[in-house]
Amino acid sequence: MDSAKNLPVAVIGAGPVGLAAAAHLLERGLEPLILEAGTTAGAAIDQWRHIRLFSPWRFNLDAAAVRLLESAGWEAPRPTALPYGGELVDNYLAPLAGLPAIASRLQTGARVVAVTRAGMDKTHTRNRDTTPFTVRVEHADGETRDHTVAAVIDASGTWSRRNPLGTSGLPAIGEDTAADRISAPLPDVTGRDRAAFAGRRVLVVGAGHSAANTLTSLAELAREEPETRILWAVRGASAAKAYGGGDADGLPARGQLGGRVRRLVEAGKIELHTGFGISSLKSLDSHVTVEAADGRTLDADIVVPCTGFRPDLDNLREIRLELDPAVEAPRELGPLIDPEFHSCGTVPPHGARLLAHPDKDFYIVGMKSYGRAPTFLLATGYEQVRSVVAALAGDREAADTVQLELPETGVCSTDAGTSCDVPAAATAAGPDSGCCAAPEPVLVGFPTGLSHGRSGGN
């Protein structure tokens, strides 16, 4: 950043990790330019504000952000309490974004459509490392403007791009044309979105945390609206991954919730269809017919996609990235988080050195840095940006010093596709496939991922 000290650092995304990056930049005397596509800070989390986090407040607060808030008289929530998504926004992100130091540097309704080196496409090498970045932004006023910045921290998450319903990583045939029959991930089926689900045939697709969350909420809805029919389709030969280990599960919350989903299936409240890899969707006037690769079909009024998320890399085509070919994370980070072999309990803390790309001073952080891996931990994102900002400030010793200290089991993350920890059901026995548990006496929900990676179990 030596050649561009008077330019700001672009922070893409005003979720928890993006705002944490801004707070660390301010502490280092660097100027953040925060670009948020939504209308408010934490806009993605606000879409699942009805969901309770799996991890307590003490793992969901960034140290630099807290210092900034406390200087303005903010009082931290009880550290062991489990916040809802809405509480994370209302009691933490909104106050942080409202501080003059942040608000004056935050642009909402600002969608980043491209990042490049000023005057260079990705084929140009001469003086590349000392050339500022150009960030092209579509603003809420309808104007597209280019911003010149010294560095870029992409904390935009993955919520905007869910994985398709079809197998092989591709949308099922007819998936696009059936869009009006497909809900958003993590719908509020007992609240805001109730009318779309009450008394309907609902097909939940996926065996992860979001699926279990939705299934238990739908079961609650069905008790009040008996005409509601719950269908559940998983690609695997069984739903054992979602059930967990019951009373013998090393993760009590996972076992409790998995047991609840199992009981609902055994009681006939949920109609489970295993080995159901979706090949096509046919949208009819009254419903959608979903066909599996083996020819079986299911009719549903609405489909809930619980298939995970992937990073949107389209706006980074002119940046020299070095990504792991499997999970689309930074190349050196990829093998450490590959869900074939790892859960969040086996992923070491990491910072700028592992997150670096060939284009100097460009970093992807937060949930997006994990690519397609579902095991992201919010506290890990905070350590990422602390290290990245130290590197941008020229403090390599601080950048390379791991400061993250967590209990051995850690706290796992979400398949909700945001820079946030696991959303769990809003009930005492909330819902997916598990990796590690927050070390609190009372746990709600259970985490995404597998205890020892896919190779260690179902």
Side-chain angles (χ1 to χ4, degrees):
M1 295 224 342
D2 289 345
S3 64
K5 285 184 176 178
N6 296 324
L7 293 174
V9 175
V11 178
I12 305 175
V17 176
L19 290 183
H24 282 276
L25 287 166
L26 290 170
E27 283 197 339
R28 289 280 185 171
L30 301 175
E31 181 69 18
L33 169 63
I34 313 162
L35 302 166
E36 166 58 45
T39 57
T40 61
I45 296 175
D46 202 53
Q47 295 184 52
W48 48 267
R49 61 183 297 116
H50 57 289
I51 299 295
R52 177 173 277 168
L53 297 180
F54 178 66
S55 53
W57 270 111
R58 66 191 179 100
F59 291 116
N60 298 323
L61 302 174
D62 172 73
V66 167
R67 289 191 288 269
L68 195 60
L69 282 163
E70 289 181 339
S71 68
W74 176 82
E75 293 186 8
R78 183 165 57 88
T80 57
L82 297 163
Y84 286 89
E87 291 174 322
L88 187 67
V89 173
D90 299 341
N91 300 338
Y92 174 53
L93 298 180
L96 181 58
L99 295 174
I102 297 291
S104 62
R105 296 165 170 92
L106 171 61
Q107 298 185 21
T108 57
R111 182 174 300 279
V112 174
V113 296
V115 181
T116 187
R117 290 285 186 176
M120 295 181 174
D121 65 20
K122 72 191 305 179
T123 68
H124 287 76
T125 300
R126 188 186 299 269
N127 300 321
R128 190 171 186 88
D129 284 355
T130 57
T131 300
F133 292 88
T134 294
V135 179
R136 179 161 292 181
V137 181
E138 291 179 352
H139 290 272
D141 60 7
E143 184 179 349
T144 299
R145 297 192 287 274
D146 286 344
H147 300 262
T148 303
V149 299
V152 177
I153 301 174
D154 185 348
S156 57
T158 57
W159 175 260
S160 65
R161 182 159 293 193
R162 67 166 176 83
N163 286 327
L165 292 170
T167 58
S168 304
L170 301 177
I173 294 172
E175 184 170 338
D176 292 340
T177 56
D180 60 343
R181 294 282 180 181
I182 302 172
S183 79
L186 285 172
D188 186 2
V189 301
T190 60
R192 177 191 60 213
D193 305 315
R194 182 187 183 100
F197 294 90
R200 313 289 294 281
R201 292 170 297 178
V202 184
L203 172 61
V204 177
V205 180
H209 178 90
S210 295
N213 230 342
T214 302
L215 289 166
T216 55
S217 295
L218 284 168
E220 180 182 340
L221 176 64
R223 284 195 295 270
E224 301 171 2
E225 303 282 352
E227 296 302 310
T228 305
R229 182 181 170 195
I230 310 168
L231 311 174
W232 181 21
V234 300
R235 294 177 185 173
S238 78
K241 184 177 74 171
Y243 295 153
D247 293 340
D249 200 306
L251 305 175
R254 180 180 63 186
Q256 180 185 44
L257 186 55
R260 185 181 179 197
V261 175
R262 182 195 292 272
R263 289 191 296 273
L264 288 168
V265 171
E266 291 174 347
K269 306 295 184 182
I270 296 172
E271 184 180 311
L272 173 63
H273 298 267
T274 59
F276 201 95
I278 296 175
S279 63
S280 67
L281 287 83
K282 184 177 181 181
S283 189
L284 305 174
D285 290 341
S286 59
H287 64 278
V288 61
T289 296
V290 182
E291 183 172 357
D294 61 10
R296 287 177 293 162
T297 61
L298 294 172
D299 291 336
D301 297 308
I302 188 166
V303 178
V304 182
C306 300
T307 49
F309 295 81
R310 59 181 61 179
D312 184 354
L313 301 170
D314 290 348
N315 59 359
L316 305 179
R317 288 183 62 86
E318 296 306 321
I319 292 296
R320 293 183 176 183
L321 301 177
E322 192 169 62
L323 299 174
D324 177 83
V327 296
E328 296 181 327
R331 183 176 292 276
E332 292 200 34
L333 177 60
L336 303 178
I337 62 174
D338 190 333
E340 287 285 336
F341 309 104
H342 294 284
S343 72
C344 62
T346 63
V347 176
H350 52 274
R353 197 170 293 278
L354 262 66
L355 296 170
H357 290 277
D359 254 324
K360 185 174 180 290
D361 298 333
F362 174 86
Y363 296 93
I364 301 174
V365 299
M367 188 70 198
K368 188 172 181 177
S369 74
Y370 271 42
R372 300 190 186 198
T375 50
F376 177 72
L377 165 64
L378 186 55
T380 298
Y382 294 153
E383 172 59 12
Q384 287 179 341
V385 296
R386 183 209 61 78
S387 174
V388 164
V389 171
L392 293 176
D395 189 348
R396 178 51 64 179
E397 181 179 359
D400 290 342
T401 303
V402 174
Q403 297 184 355
L404 183 64
E405 294 184 7
L406 291 171
E408 184 177 348
T409 53
V411 242
C412 290
S413 143
T414 176
D415 53 2
T418 68
S419 295
C420 222
D421 284 19
V422 177
T427 64
D432 147 56
S433 53
C435 43
C436 44
E440 301 301 323
V442 177
L443 298 176
V444 178
F446 61 94
T448 301
L450 306 172
S451 347
H452 305 290
R454 290 177 188 154
S455 60
N458 295 305

